[in-house]
Amino acid sequence: AEYMGMARDLTTNHMVDQKVPKYTKEDLGHCVVEETTFATLFPKYLEAYFKEIWAAVEEVLKQHHITGVLNLTEGSLTVRTRKSTWDPYAIVKARDFIKLLSRSVPLGKAQEIFEDNMTYDIIKISGFVRNKERFVKRRQRLIGPGGKTLKALELLTGCYVLVQGSTCACMGTYKGVAAVRNIVVGCMNNVHTIYGLKRLLIQRELERNPEMQGEDWGRYLPTFKKTHLRKAKGKRARREARLAKSPFPPAPTPRKEDLEMETGEYWLKPNKREARRRDRIVEEKPKADGEGTKKKRKVSFAE
């Protein structure tokens, strides 16, 4: 029995399908000499669910010669090897299996992790945005109206994707899981999911075309760049204004005594100071009367 895996062709630097042989018990014999144990915690609301399905979980683990323990007191799931375990990697797959179950992945989907070409990834999506409202909006954008965006992502990547709480669990082939992570991380970084889905759709069409095998797909794949010109201009203007601003406080408003010191009136005697003030008023009055007369003439002419 053989299964298809992915490998990188060093001549063209492209991922290509490669047949990987599948080993059996006769090939390895008895190679597990020590007991290996893995455990994980699960939320309290899953207790009733695990009580119902635990018999089926033990049956799945028994097929791979793994022992499972459900501890409701501690809220933990534990898997360990047996003396009859012949596959050294089965315990690692069992660890992934209980991790998926603790993330609310259904049993029917979680047991597919035991296949050789299947892997999983738990993506923490709560650390990308600090604002809770913005985080909820971007998570909803990832799910889409009625879960349509998530369904399209599953169809294009061939993976099972579950968004719950502050994490996103995905399970599928290595190539599909990597594509899901790129789109999920991009969505939480404010890159719309439609861009990633469009890129995956074009890649799938190119893979189906035998003439495009071994060709460079860079000219066919769309590239999207984030541009925030208004925001950048606003930041640049605020930065320039902040740099142009003097670090020293503004000069104080001059007092009446300061103005008199500048003109020299401060050191004059009171009678001379009063005479100079009257002369200034007499000089400024004709100018003010002339401006008032011009305004009156304009108003009368307009009427």
Side-chain angles (χ1 to χ4, degrees), residues 136-153:
V136 172
K137 287 182 180 179
R138 292 185 184 179
R139 183 180 63 181
Q140 185 59 37
R141 182 191 300 172
L142 176 62
I143 298 173
K148 292 181 180 179
T149 304
L150 211 61
K151 187 66 176 177
L153 182 61

Side-chain angles (χ1 to χ4, degrees), residues 276-290:
R276 182 173 289 189
R277 188 181 66 82
R278 290 174 182 174
D279 294 342
R280 193 187 304 114
I281 292 174
V282 171
E283 290 176 358
E284 294 177 355
K285 189 174 181 180
K287 296 180 180 179
D289 292 344

